[in-house]
Amino acid sequence: MKVLGWLWKAAAFFLVFALALNNQAPVRVHGLFGAYWDAPLALVLLIVLFAGVLLGMAVMAPLWWRARRHARTPATPPA
């Protein structure tokens, strides 16, 4: 069963790798005040994915901390 898991991970890696190799065309990302940045599409997509993961973690962090604090406090017996 572990081998099947590794095969799925390897297939996903090679699929993403092939996608990155096929998307090397430069794209222009426009910023504020006329600023722009030319970069390969695969790099732009990777940065946007990373930014989304960080934003999701930042939004979820208070909920995780609250859940950990609630799990650590001993439950009071009913009166």
Side-chain angles (χ1 to χ4, degrees):
M1 197 63 177
K2 278 187 172 184
V3 174
L4 186 61
W6 277 103
L7 287 174
W8 277 109
K9 290 175 187 175
F13 171 77
F14 285 118
L15 185 67
V16 170
F17 188 69
L19 181 74
L21 286 178
N22 287 327
N23 287 301
Q24 290 296 318
V27 294
R28 180 168 283 181
V29 180
H30 292 276
L32 298 174
F33 308 116
Y36 63 89
W37 179 50
D38 292 323
L41 178 62
L43 179 63
V44 173
L45 290 174
L46 183 65
I47 290 171
V48 168
L49 174 69
F50 187 66
V53 168
L54 287 178
L55 181 64
M57 289 174 63
V59 168
M60 288 296 297
L63 297 173
W64 290 332
W65 292 332
R66 190 177 309 131
R68 285 190 62 186
R69 186 175 42 218
H70 180 68
R72 272 194 252 154
T73 58
T76 57

